[in-house]
Amino acid sequence: MTDVFDHPWLGGLFADPDMAALWSPDAQLAGMRAFEAAFSRALGRAGLADRAEEAARAIEGMGFDMDDLRAGTAQDGVVVPRLVRQMKAQAGDAAGAVHKGATSQDVIDTATALAMRDTLALVDRRLADLTAALEGLAARFGARPLMGRTRMQAATEITVADRIAPWLLPLADHRARIAQARPRIARLQLGGASGDRADLGAKADAVAADMAAALRLENPARAWHAMRDGVAEFAGLLSLVTGTLGKMGQDVALMAQQGIAEIELSGGGTSSAMAHKQNPVLAELLVTLARFNAGQLALIHQALVHEQERSGAAWALEWMVLPPMAQATGRALAAAVTLAGQVRRIGTPE
Amino acid sequence: MTDVFDHPWLGGLFADPDMAALWSPDAQLAGMRAFEAAFSRALGRAGLADRAEEAARAIEGMGFDMDDLRAGTAQDGVVVPRLVRQMKAQAGDAAGAVHKGATSQDVIDTATALAMRDTLALVDRRLADLTAALEGLAARFGARPLMGRTRMQAATEITVADRIAPWLLPLADHRARIAQARPRIARLQLGGASGDRADLGAKADAVAADMAAALRLENPARAWHAMRDGVAEFAGLLSLVTGTLGKMGQDVALMAQQGIAEIELSGGGTSSAMAHKQNPVLAELLVTLARFNAGQLALIHQALVHEQERSGAAWALEWMVLPPMAQATGRALAAAVTLAGQVRRIGTPE
Amino acid sequence: MTDVFDHPWLGGLFADPDMAALWSPDAQLAGMRAFEAAFSRALGRAGLADRAEEAARAIEGMGFDMDDLRAGTAQDGVVVPRLVRQMKAQAGDAAGAVHKGATSQDVIDTATALAMRDTLALVDRRLADLTAALEGLAARFGARPLMGRTRMQAATEITVADRIAPWLLPLADHRARIAQARPRIARLQLGGASGDRADLGAKADAVAADMAAALRLENPARAWHAMRDGVAEFAGLLSLVTGTLGKMGQDVALMAQQGIAEIELSGGGTSSAMAHKQNPVLAELLVTLARFNAGQLALIHQALVHEQERSGAAWALEWMVLPPMAQATGRALAAAVTLAGQVRRIGTPE
Amino acid sequence: MTDVFDHPWLGGLFADPDMAALWSPDAQLAGMRAFEAAFSRALGRAGLADRAEEAARAIEGMGFDMDDLRAGTAQDGVVVPRLVRQMKAQAGDAAGAVHKGATSQDVIDTATALAMRDTLALVDRRLADLTAALEGLAARFGARPLMGRTRMQAATEITVADRIAPWLLPLADHRARIAQARPRIARLQLGGASGDRADLGAKADAVAADMAAALRLENPARAWHAMRDGVAEFAGLLSLVTGTLGKMGQDVALMAQQGIAEIELSGGGTSSAMAHKQNPVLAELLVTLARFNAGQLALIHQALVHEQERSGAAWALEWMVLPPMAQATGRALAAAVTLAGQVRRIGTPE
């Protein structure tokens, strides 16, 4: 099975190419390259390095020896030492303008911040799409009657709009949360060896401001090497979104039961054993992805216990968990929009 | 062992009386009583009930038969049917102004919203206290040298202020998060049987506005019976706070190791076997509480999959998890302040 | 709300007095007392202490100053230093036979091992009870038809026995697991200060064998202070049991839906808003408890990372999580037996 | 970043090719192919199909249209309908001997059972390797002194053998657990549409016995479609193993601190900022993988709530979580063996 998001057939169900692109090795490499180029240029403008533009262009134009990067990661636990070695070799005489005063965590975390920033933008756009889709359903079917169900038991009659409301209304709150949290998440990471920017001396803040502007990231007062609350807040936003969609999925799956029949979908899944079945595949998927993210979120919060100036152990746990969380969220949003489009009818059958 | 927060001896380590009071059965009962009294009065002012003030005063002044409440909870899965029955009996001729048009979830969730609101206020106050305590440490010891440690290895020399910064700086962000999230958390719950406020007719919004003002809660556009994102956001805030404190605790425990000796504490724990030991008990406790909340948070996010108009299963999971999370957070904040006060020295021994 | 297991009204739904008794402070104190008395006697028989029987009887007969225990736990992070101080005071001239060569973890973990042992016995008995109850249901209703449902959709007709089988068959496997795991769980803890039994010298193994026999526990080759796999295996057993019951509960709640009506229960819960409702309260509770234990299990596994000879942080996490897991399991088993007894009919309505 | 186990450079740190091979799409396809071929042959031998051997050989020899499998999974939520359609097309006139009476879950779960069986075998072999490696360390360094540390504080002097014991002794228990659990995990799945083997009639048990023998799997009394305790037990075993290794990794990382210096390693990682550093990369990795598996385990236990005859939602959650857990376990074992080989010295420096 391996990774469901990048799998020859399970990818048909789980893959979200747009989100996968934001967290791909290519994107990660592009993010690290962008960091180093911006850093070289900022060093140059701050008078901390010569031939800075030359170094930046070398970094921007070069290819990488991936076998060397892999061997280096095996050795060092992190890709950056070899990445920088390759960059310096490429920069040649301009090597003095490469990475001088930065550290591995600056490079990787800034690339992650770019991915988180772009993820929030993608999630926000899809929340808008889903809002429109659900408002469309409410417009078409909202006035139709439906049996309200509490504790899985028939309660009092409601309308379809009442059933849709808890799928729809939290989406606006999620968008507000994203807007509020973005400045705490999309932050430049720049600290140097122990996070104090010591090697950049009096020019440290100028370098940081320059880089933040170039990379379109926030410029925090100091490095967040060992302050992972922004990362955890990001993960929490993702899981809040998938949680809302999981509730929608669970509702749809329950409504689609024979004997209940409160929803009619096109395009449901077939069975290898029973030709008559129309399985609410995307509805179930939303439940799966919600439960998946809920579990992963705990690990990102475990990783808040990030000791001293850098925890190799806690940091690597983020590497394991963030990309699948983002992909689960992207896929859930896309699936929810598709599912909304599959609705032929909601409400008590006539 | 049972519940560590309310335990004859473990309570010495884990209990936080201020936070416990906010989530105690007494507070819960007070919250439910406040809901019902405000609801009766709002019904009266809206012209939906007679003798409303009389009913409200009966509710406010009465005692409860706890055995009956317990038996009712066993039967109904929720305390409110018996609670209301007792209230109606007490109200006598004014019973028509009691709970008419409300439902169990309105009562319990509003009481929870009050507890969440007061918890955020308490957490915010203690974040301010801890900020002051850590700023004090930074003022006293901040300029002293300290070996920076990355991946548990000596890196480059930093200052004590650099080590303290990741304990201190996120506190301001946590306070900003609380301020932003509070309106999504401290919300009146009012929906009636299936959450659509149908039984209150055209007066529903007026009743809700009246109650929200009386209870000093936000007045959302509709009931959030099946929209639990505010609850999950609340839990996420708690775990972000304990995560930051867990990082501080881990750092202190590591600094207190013999051979490292970068911190000297008064008042450490003794050992039953070794009289010479000074254990960094509160530092370890901060790690424990951070890991505890991280795990519980996953369950609150699992409970986002809250089916249809009310999920008995997901709702009861919140009941199990929210109070210990709040108590863990309260205790962690109090312990962190105490721990900061125990510091006799931070920095490389002279 | 506080702890649902020990709550004035929520206890009606969540409390299991038999299981609570096994993990109560009283039981914990009894376990620690039993450890110390057995230890004193074993020291005496090994020739390592005088007046050992006198010390043991003093320990067995004494009361404790609970305020002192609480203050000591606050100070030391663990109750044992004060507990032992009280015991020595009580033993008077026999104090030399008290705790000499043992450590806090020996005392607390042995008490926990006794609680785990008795918990497994209680769980095993209730698994037998539930097996009988479900076999009874299968005998009464097993041949009746029922619509099989896969992916929440009608599949092919099965029998009630087919639906019950996945509730019933794993119970035997759980019992087999308990029998296999018990010797790895119900183990004496005896290691002394750093776990090497050094202070007991050449008599260490004799003392351990003597104590294990007296306490009816296994006698492992050495102390398991920092080997927590037995604890994690215990927690895993509990969550496997509640998982099976959660599946049963989810099925029952789904079968009880109007429109499906494949089960008829007596004694369901009523609603504060709708007199006609019969809520499947115990079925939902089984789902809640299964999800609760699943989440807690992660924390016990996090606590496997138990550094060096004793981790105060990881150990205290066990204290927070084990007692609620045990109580959730006890309650789930009791509720499942009750729920089985509430069944008036299973199968397609005639 | 995407999946760390299959990543161009992070794979250098996280990948375990042997374990990845057991859970790869190729292995999954081979497992499904093996199921269907064995099923066809068993149908033939039971007299339930003609031209069975011809069908089996067609299945064994064919290639698959992966785009079609992907499109089918997107449509059906499961790969098997299209897989079977391709198989039937290939079998031509023998198509009547393909999959007749089986269902998707039979195919996928049997393939998973094969992967779990082979995973347990690989884990067991590596546990033996690690046992030998740690016994070697104990033989070389075991008698050397070391400061015992409890609650992160110096306690009493122990030996290196005492420190190694909690890394080593649980390995034998893990192997015993695997041996006991294997028959509950490595089980044929055969149930047909709703799990009752109805379509196989009186020959069902004969078909199952035939298949179990051919596939070298246990032959349970009935299908375990909705009984996932074996899967959860498997996941629990993996996390117990990584938990023990995580404890070893945490210890090594702590011992490697400057100022403690109780271990000397060759081959540690370098830093992009500090040439002098020797980071205990593999030790940290063990902690990361332990925490990862602990978190994932919660999700497999959440998936025990597997409703009715098949839960699409809970089942897909297993697909997401099992392969990374297996890979984390394989990698942790390999890394622990490597780490043991990197030890140049354990014990107090002379």
Side-chain angles (χ1 to χ4, degrees), chain C residues 230-285:
Chain C
V231 174
E233 186 171 22
F234 171 76
L237 291 172
L238 299 183
S239 184
L240 285 174
V241 168
T242 48
T244 296
L245 305 187
K247 186 264 185 292
M248 170 184 164
Q250 186 66 77
D251 282 355
V252 169
L254 288 167
M255 294 163 83
Q257 295 171 100
Q258 286 87 353
I260 309 287
E262 293 169 337
I263 198 165
E264 191 181 338
L265 299 171
S266 62
T270 55
S271 156
S272 75
M274 293 163 284
H276 66 278
K277 286 194 68 181
Q278 281 279 337
N279 293 317
V281 168
L282 294 181
E284 293 175 293
L285 179 64

Side-chain angles (χ1 to χ4, degrees), chain A residues 11-33:
Chain A
L13 186 61
F14 289 97
D16 175 7
D18 294 337
M19 188 61 87
L22 297 181
W23 295 86
S24 67
D26 280 353
Q28 190 73 11
L29 208 50
M32 296 194 292
R33 191 196 296 266

Side-chain angles (χ1 to χ4, degrees), chain A residues 118-170:
Chain A
D118 294 345
T119 295
L120 291 182
L122 178 58
V123 168
D124 190 60
R125 285 196 302 275
R126 290 200 181 162
L127 286 168
D129 294 343
L130 182 58
T131 299
L134 294 178
E135 286 173 347
L137 282 185
R140 283 169 63 201
F141 303 110
R144 298 178 67 146
L146 187 74
M147 179 53 67
R149 289 176 188 265
T150 56
R151 309 193 79 123
M152 307 208 81
Q153 291 284 296
T156 58
E157 194 177 87
I158 59 175
T159 67
V160 168
D162 293 321
R163 177 63 57 84
I164 291 175
W167 313 344
L168 175 58
L169 296 184

Side-chain angles (χ1 to χ4, degrees), chain B residues 26-244:
Chain B
D26 279 353
Q28 190 73 10
L29 208 50
M32 296 194 291
R33 192 196 296 266
F35 173 91
E36 294 288 7
F39 185 64
S40 291
R41 288 196 177 99
L43 286 181
R45 280 193 280 262
L48 293 173
D50 295 329
R51 308 178 72 161
E53 181 60 26
E54 181 182 338
R57 292 194 183 173
I59 289 167
E60 288 173 339
M62 72 183 288
F64 292 94
D65 174 347
M66 300 304 282
D67 290 342
D68 181 62
L69 295 185
R70 185 181 185 96
T73 305
Q75 171 70 22
D76 303 328
V78 65
V79 72
V80 177
R82 295 292 178 96
L83 186 87
V84 168
R85 195 168 75 179
Q86 291 187 31
M87 286 174 170
K88 287 187 172 177
Q90 184 71 19
D93 291 345
V98 176
H99 193 74
K100 196 182 67 177
T103 194
S104 292
Q105 199 165 0
D106 297 334
V107 187
I108 292 176
D109 281 349
T110 297
T112 300
L114 293 167
M116 293 194 293
R117 179 195 68 191
D118 295 346
T119 295
L120 291 182
L122 178 57
V123 167
D124 190 60
R125 285 197 302 276
R126 290 197 180 165
L127 285 169
D129 295 343
L130 182 58
T131 299
L134 294 178
E135 286 173 347
L137 283 184
R140 283 169 63 201
F141 303 110
R144 298 176 67 146
L146 187 75
M147 179 52 68
R149 289 177 188 265
T150 57
R151 308 193 81 124
M152 308 207 81
Q153 291 284 297
T156 57
E157 194 177 87
I158 57 174
T159 66
V160 168
D162 293 321
R163 178 62 58 84
I164 291 176
W167 312 346
L168 174 58
L169 296 185
L171 304 185
D173 279 341
H174 295 324
R175 299 187 70 188
R177 289 178 178 110
I178 288 173
Q180 290 171 343
R182 187 184 286 114
R184 293 186 291 260
I185 292 169
R187 294 183 176 187
L188 175 73
Q189 181 68 288
L190 183 65
S194 294
D196 58 359
R197 300 182 176 171
D199 289 345
L200 299 172
K203 298 299 183 76
D205 290 351
V207 169
D210 187 338
M211 292 185 72
L215 296 168
R216 293 180 298 116
L217 291 170
E218 298 293 318
N219 180 22
R222 56 177 292 143
W224 48 276
H225 286 184
M227 298 179 252
R228 312 306 289 184
D229 50 298
V231 174
E233 186 172 20
F234 170 76
L237 291 172
L238 299 183
S239 184
L240 285 174
V241 168
T242 48
T244 295

